[in-house]
Amino acid sequence: MLLILLTSVVFIEVVNGQAMCRPNSPRSECGYYGINQYECEGRGCCWTPTEGQPWCYYQSTAPNSYRVHTISATAFGLRMSLEAEPSSSSEFGELLTPLGVDITMESQSRLHVNIYHLDHTRWEIPSNISSSGNVPSEPPTNPLYKYTTAKEGEFFYFAVSRASDDEVLFNTSSEDQPLEFADQFIAIATTLPGTESLYGLGERKAPLMLQRGRTYTIWNFDTSTPPDVNLYGSHPFYLDLRQSGKAHGVYLRNSNGMDVNYGDDFLSYRVIGGVLDFYFFLGPSPEHVIQQYQEVIGRPYLPPYWALGFHQCRYGYRNIQSLQYVVNNYTESKIPLDGIWSDIDYMDEYKVFTLDPNNYPVDEMKKFVSDLHSNSMYYVVIINPGIKVDENYKPYSDGKERKVFIMDKDGEEFTGKQWPGFVVFPDLFNPDTAQYWNDQIGEFYNTSVEVDGIWINMNEISNFCNGECRPESYDKELRSVKQVEFDPVDPPYWINNQGTHAALNVKTLDMDAIHNKQYIEYNVHNLYGLMQGKATLNAMETLQGKRSLVISRSTFPGSGSYTGHTTGNNHASFDDLYHSIPGMLNFQMFGIPLVGSDICGYLGDTTEELCGRWMQLGAFYPFSRNHNDKNAIPQEPYQWPSVAAISRKVLSLRYSLLPYYYTLFYKASRAVTDIPSATVTRPLFFEFPNDLRTHYIDRQFMVGSGLLISPVLEEGATSIDAYFPRGSWYCIYSALRVVSSADGATLTLDTPLDHIPVYVRGGSAIPGHVGDAMTTTESRKNDYGLGVALDDEGNASGDLYIDDGDSIKPTQYLFITFTATSECSTGQLTSTIDEQVSCVTMVMVLSIV
């Protein structure tokens, strides 16, 4: 018997403007990994097996859905109105008409394009929740961009190009993916040259460079970091680096769930609400792009100096004696430590703002924290958003009386589930909730323990139920049904949540939950972490009168103005060791430079080798913390003599470099020099965008512009191949020049277990502290030193920022710029002091290498 297998390729012709299968158009994933043709077509979707593209994808509508009706000039650009073609339709709802389009030239480097419904107000992120940038007072002169649009009567499109060379950056004119604007489905696409390198669109665990043929879903979700799916934060921003070395950025200011599909020559958006509010940043360098992006979303906050020290946490420190044991072992092992953290173990039955009276009694905790402070150490606790439903629990009874909890669609308190059992959630969009949150933190601080920082977690919001915890809470299967009316519970288009098109309420709230009597969860879900970060930092700074440390798991554009970030529940594996680098670098682009992964891995048992290699890498994270789960083996670095020795070495280097790190944070928070500075760590292509080889590198990274870090990321490796871009590079340990190349060079470096290669870039003047220290307070008492590495022309430069380390608005501070030159056997070092202060710390030059 002859068996012939036929693979069906479906082509559906357009009939009266209806949807069709168009395999050569941008595809949006309809199924999930492993779906078969029968199930795909049963959903009403298209099936076309193609390498690098979704095999099961939604049908496309007919091209050219909108015509330009009117165009009028404005002081800053133009305004358009669009009318939908009578024959046009969308598979996911009736097209809205008329639409408005505002094109605004906001600065020399920033163009703003907003597409919205003219007749009805739709959800847009209020600027007091997430910044939308300053409104210009006059149009820019000589902008770096040009834009073109369709004329009146023509089918709508807009395109943005670079003024200097006419290179097209964003162009929606392709008929393969027209603009669609339905109530719960908005689609638009741009063509791409096919040679670009794209980065961003997070949060996810994946290589740094975006991969063609992938769908990048943006929707906050609590999960243990599987690869290539949406994780804790939502960042609809990407950086586009062209082969010319010029970069630009694109930010879609929209908080609704979305799929962003990256094809061979296109990028398409499918958004389930709101408006299309685009910002374009012209760079032209990657660092310029991020600085321009931060001008819209807000600059990063300057953390207290101690936050840059090393920190230790573990879910499983079951009592105060465990904490004291850890601190004592760090001290005895002579491993630097600034912060000891408590996961949920410290709470009474996991209720936030409480102490376990048996294992963490108040009096003992007060003494423990007082002793920490006496030894220049700090204490940080985790706080989850869920407030246990218990009339005898003051945070609940107080919040209930004030009416500050999220409500369900029936006007009752929305009940979810977290560690203490059934919980309600503070409605942080309600202005009255800020005072409630301040009061809860203040009472805990004043009556229980004087914490120095707060780690806010499970704020996606994470929920142990799928929606409200009650029998009638829905949990539906995916279905493809065209909706007539707005339905937040079952939208007509299901984003590829978790790679399986999971319902939006899985492990979170129902989409019709109500915030501040006016916002539904469907629209504000991705914003909750940002709102909690704002409220928590404000509470701590109001309480303490100084800068505080807040670390948030869930983030959105603008979160970096209030918090740092931990990349969540990673795994004790060499694969996650590697992925921590793209994760860290992505958040530099997202405007949250204070970021790090759980060193040695959170889930699963680490190994001596893995933990040693992770301590080496983690010593250079902006935020450096060892943390793991109670079901895994203890992994404090003193558990193994070899890891303790590695930790002493790399943390000694970290602490000596903290003036350099702190200066980078200061420059990112203030933009104080003409040279753009928006990141602390950065990909190599930020410094060498014209070197195409750097576009693909995500296993090495830079700290500022002056340090190159090349960690070991493979088990058992005793050597690595490290790429050195053009210029001179000096070993930080020996001060010897290792390589000088006009075009870049790859070298094989020996990497025994106790060694991580760190190199100083020629042309850099790196400030630091001289001498060892066990805490940041101790290190700040050491003399300052300056390591000067001359470039091939005999020059170097750098800068240094000094303040008291924790004032919210320092009145006494120092900003120094250094310039070094060398001619033959003579040399000269000059410095310029930017501000007058009453006391100037001596700066000592260590060497000119």
Side-chain angles (χ1 to χ4, degrees), residues 203-205 225 231-232 310-311 551 565-571 573 575-585 587-588 593-602 614-615 617-628 635:
E203 179 181 8
R204 64 190 26 80
K205 185 176 80 173
T225 62
L231 298 179
Y232 312 104
F310 187 69
H311 303 267
I551 295 293
H565 175 61
T566 173
T567 58
N569 296 347
N570 62 1
H571 300 77
S573 70
D575 183 62
D576 277 36
L577 173 66
Y578 151 67
H579 277 107
S580 73
I581 299 176
M584 169 185 66
L585 297 178
F587 275 88
Q588 303 299 312
L594 185 64
V595 60
S597 295
D598 286 350
I599 293 171
C600 301
Y602 178 75
W614 215 321
M615 285 297 300
L617 171 57
F620 296 95
Y621 294 159
F623 170 61
S624 187
R625 183 188 70 165
N626 183 310
H627 177 50
N628 75 327
Q635 62 182 34

Side-chain angles (χ1 to χ4, degrees), residues 291-308:
Q291 185 161 293
Q292 292 156 10
Y293 178 42
Q294 291 175 356
E295 289 170 0
V296 171
I297 66 171
R299 296 210 175 279
Y301 93 120
L302 179 63
Y305 196 95
W306 65 266
L308 305 185

